Amino acid sequence: MSLSDFEAVIGLEVHIQLKTQRKMFCDCRNDGELQPPNTTICEVCLGHPGTMPVPNKKAIEWAVLMATALNCSINKKQFFDRKNYFYPDLPKGFQISQFSYPIGENGFLFILNKKLKSKTYVEASESDIRIGIERLHLEEDAAKNIHKDDRIMVDYNRSGTPLVEIVTMPDFRSPEYAKIFLQDLRLIARYLGVSDADMEKGHLRCDANISLRPKGDDKLYPKTEIKNLNSFKSVERALEYEIMRQYKIWESNEQDSIRQSTRTWDENSQTTKEMRSKETSGDYRYFPEPDIPHLDFNDKSFINIDDLKNSLPELPYDKRKRFLEEYGLSKEEAYILTSSIKISEYYENIVRKLLSEIDVDGEENFEEIIAKKTAKWMTNKFIGVLSSRNISFENNPLSEDDFVDFMKIALSGRVNSSLLQQILEKALETGKAPTEILEEGNLNKSVDNLDGIIQSVITENPDEVQKYLSGKHNLLQFFIGQVMKKAKGRANPDEVREMILDKLNELN
Ligand code: ZN
Ligand code: MN
């Protein structure tokens, strides 16, 4: 028996906070995470007796939008349910949620098939991965317990924040795809503008269910639910850990002892620990919320589902697919260039402008060459330079026209790539147009013949080259010095160093 005889059966339960102006059932502002504790609260979200919840229409629309993006069918008849349990962060003693009729059901999300980084727990798959969405429903968030010294304090600012809960089918076979799915979910929420879905800030929270079974077996074995997953990385790690833990139980033939249970991920020890045996829905004594009237989605004056559907932007998976097919990009490039709507628009506008401004007569595959080269420059260099300068793409100072200007220089073949990178950096630094920087000239001259200078330094110093090759590596400084002297200081020492190393390695 080995690990490869088993497959993991993984499902996710995800909560995403909606960034509406107001809370789910009251008029309190919904930015409590930025405000002092217990200041964005009222009688409703504190659960005072006799108060009446009024649903937030925007939150309902956004939940429908999210469910539509996940290809769910939308339930036209809607009501809320009470989920009863006792905890200090839940002042009413129940959470207003949806049980029988979620906003959406039976959806799915495709994930672009990717070369996975982890070698274990996964079978190579040629086709894209389809993850079923069991349901998406709307509910209110609980307050936040803050543990300080030996006390627990409660901040009710979060109480009543609108949440969508998304439950997937147990369709993941690999922890890595679970992570990728969550990242895609975050991106969809951002594309739709309904949440920042920042996991570190608790906007997106995830519990994972996992069981193991012998390959070929259709049965579902008792699952473990893992809680306290605070980052994408911890989701993946916790699932990998749990697979190994359960595998060892199978290995010693004690699988009958596995009960359905809830475990918590401990970041420090990188292990899961049992909390309790898992509760079932019966434990919550769900019943319809009597204080909120039923909602009717057939009533177009209340909510127009068709309008919402038509307002969906092109979603990340479709955009990536299109970038692969239309521009011949690599999957890696497609992922980066769809990582925000802004980036993807910037990229496509540049390609469009280049195609309309450059004469493509007679050249074969010219469109694809332009699209690919632009993608290369954006993903390999530009986004890297921005992030090394701590500039977010949203604050990118280079206009589309400037980047078009830059790409024209790059496509002309007049200038080598290390010089192009200098132009890019200088454009970011000075805000000048790339052509202007090129015409100023001093970059141009020094680097243009750098290759020739290095070659001549090597030819003129055969003894030093021999010594270097036989191990005297500190001579590298000598070569750099000689080249800088000949270049009259107009070269970048780091680049010179790299180029000399390349040349010397060729001789080796
Ligand atoms: Zn309130
Ligand atoms: Mn929930």
Side-chain angles (χ1 to χ4, degrees), residues 2 11 84 115 141 154 160 179 241 284 308 353 387 407 420 422 435 443 447:
S2 81
N84 299 278
K115 205 168 176 185
D141 207 345
V154 188
K179 181 185 74 182
Y241 174 84
Y284 291 117
L308 286 170
K353 285 184 188 183
S387 74
M407 282 310 300
L420 282 167
Q422 285 183 52
T435 310
L443 297 153
V447 186

Side-chain angles (χ1 to χ4, degrees), residues 60 62 72 77 172 185 208 222 234 242 273 359 433 445 503:
I60 294 171
W62 283 4
C72 292
K77 296 275 178 201
F172 301 95
L185 215 49
S234 61
E242 194 57 24
K273 296 198 167 88
D359 191 10
K445 271 181 230 149
K503 273 258 150 55

Side-chain angles (χ1 to χ4, degrees), residues 221-236:
Y221 289 84
K223 63 189 173 188
T224 306
E225 180 173 299
I226 315 173
K227 293 196 175 286
N228 194 33
L229 301 169
N230 297 324
S231 68
F232 294 112
K233 199 169 259 164
S234 61
V235 171
E236 188 180 9

